[in-house]
Amino acid sequence: MEWIYYDSKTGNVERFMQKVAELTGWSVCKIQPDMDAVQEGHLVTFTTRFGEVPETTKRFLHHASPYLLSVSSSGNRNWGQNFAIAGDKIATEYGIPLALKFELSGTNEDINEFIAIIKARRHHGNKRGSKELDFAQ
């Protein structure tokens, strides 16, 4: 059983996570103010403004980062270099492997790829810090 913590403002990440949960039965938990991670898991967030990590995600990371095994982020390709860059920033600052970057609420292919990436981490025994997950482009 996987745990996924997610942050969503406009509903894009929430729609992505609902589809993942429907297909896998994994536990998905929307980040709330002052929330801590209760299990090791993965983070999925969005990119806000002109390439920033959301404040709610930053607050969650402050205490939860040691429990996070990967980060994925949503964005809009209209922002060019800043597309889903929140994931890159979190990966760099916290040393959490970047798993996937997807546009808006993702496609079916994005959802299947996310599931495969998370499953592969378990099957190959990857631990946090492994560069094996860092193939998001």
Side-chain angles (χ1 to χ4, degrees), residues 15 38 63 65 69 72 80 100 111-112 115 121 126 133:
R15 282 189 293 280
V38 294
H63 295 290
S65 64
L69 303 169
S72 297
L100 181 71
I111 291 162
N112 290 331
I115 293 167
R121 186 202 60 81
N126 295 337
L133 281 178

Coordinates of all heavy atoms in Angstrom, one line a residue, residues 15 38 63 65 69 72 80 100 111-112 115 121 126 133:
R15 N -7.7 15.9 -9.2 CA -8.3 15.0 -10.2 C -7.3 13.9 -10.6 O -7.6 12.7 -10.7 CB -8.7 15.8 -11.5 CG -10.0 16.5 -11.3 CD -10.5 17.1 -12.6 NE -9.6 18.2 -13.1 CZ -9.7 19.5 -12.6 NH1 -10.5 19.8 -11.6 NH2 -8.9 20.4 -13.1
V38 N 2.1 10.9 8.2 CA 1.9 9.8 9.2 C 2.6 8.5 8.7 O 2.7 7.6 9.5 CB 0.4 9.5 9.4 CG1 -0.2 10.7 10.1 CG2 -0.4 9.2 8.2
H63 N 8.2 19.7 8.0 CA 8.2 18.6 8.9 C 8.2 17.2 8.3 O 8.7 16.2 8.8 CB 7.1 18.7 9.9 CG 7.1 19.9 10.8 ND1 8.1 20.0 11.8 CD2 6.4 21.0 10.8 CE1 7.9 21.2 12.4 NE2 6.9 21.8 11.8
S65 N 9.4 16.2 5.1 CA 10.4 15.8 4.1 C 11.1 14.6 4.4 O 11.4 13.8 3.5 CB 11.3 17.0 3.8 OG 12.1 17.3 4.9
L69 N 9.4 9.9 -0.3 CA 10.3 9.1 -1.1 C 10.4 9.6 -2.5 O 11.4 9.2 -3.2 CB 9.7 7.6 -1.2 CG 9.5 7.0 0.2 CD1 8.7 5.7 0.1 CD2 10.9 6.7 0.8
S72 N 6.5 14.6 -7.3 CA 6.0 14.8 -8.7 C 5.2 16.2 -8.7 O 4.7 16.6 -7.7 CB 5.0 13.7 -9.1 OG 5.6 12.5 -9.1
G80 N 6.8 27.4 -20.3 CA 8.2 27.1 -20.8 C 9.1 26.4 -19.8 O 8.8 25.4 -19.2
L100 N 8.0 12.5 -11.5 CA 7.2 12.8 -12.8 C 6.8 14.3 -12.8 O 6.4 14.8 -11.7 CB 6.0 11.9 -12.8 CG 5.1 12.1 -14.0 CD1 5.8 11.5 -15.3 CD2 3.7 11.4 -13.8
I111 N -0.9 9.2 -15.8 CA -1.3 8.5 -14.6 C -0.7 7.1 -14.6 O -0.2 6.7 -13.6 CB -2.9 8.4 -14.6 CG1 -3.4 9.8 -14.3 CG2 -3.4 7.4 -13.6 CD1 -4.9 10.0 -14.7
N112 N -0.7 6.4 -15.7 CA -0.1 5.1 -15.8 C 1.4 5.1 -15.6 O 1.9 4.3 -14.9 CB -0.4 4.4 -17.2 CG -1.9 4.0 -17.3 OD1 -2.6 3.8 -16.3 ND2 -2.4 4.1 -18.5
I115 N 2.0 5.6 -11.8 CA 1.8 4.4 -11.1 C 3.0 3.4 -11.3 O 3.5 2.8 -10.4 CB 0.5 3.7 -11.5 CG1 -0.7 4.6 -11.0 CG2 0.4 2.3 -11.0 CD1 -2.1 4.2 -11.7
R121 N 9.8 1.7 -7.9 CA 10.6 2.0 -6.7 C 10.5 0.9 -5.7 O 11.4 0.5 -5.1 CB 10.1 3.4 -6.1 CG 11.1 3.8 -5.0 CD 10.4 4.8 -4.1 NE 9.2 4.3 -3.4 CZ 9.2 3.5 -2.3 NH1 10.3 3.1 -1.8 NH2 8.1 3.1 -1.8
N126 N 14.4 0.8 -4.3 CA 15.0 2.2 -4.2 C 14.6 2.9 -2.9 O 13.5 2.7 -2.5 CB 14.5 3.0 -5.4 CG 14.9 2.5 -6.7 OD1 15.9 1.8 -6.8 ND2 14.2 2.8 -7.8
L133 N 15.0 7.4 -9.8 CA 13.7 7.9 -10.0 C 13.9 9.3 -10.8 O 12.9 9.8 -11.3 CB 13.0 8.2 -8.7 CG 12.3 7.1 -8.1 CD1 11.6 7.5 -6.8 CD2 11.2 6.4 -9.0

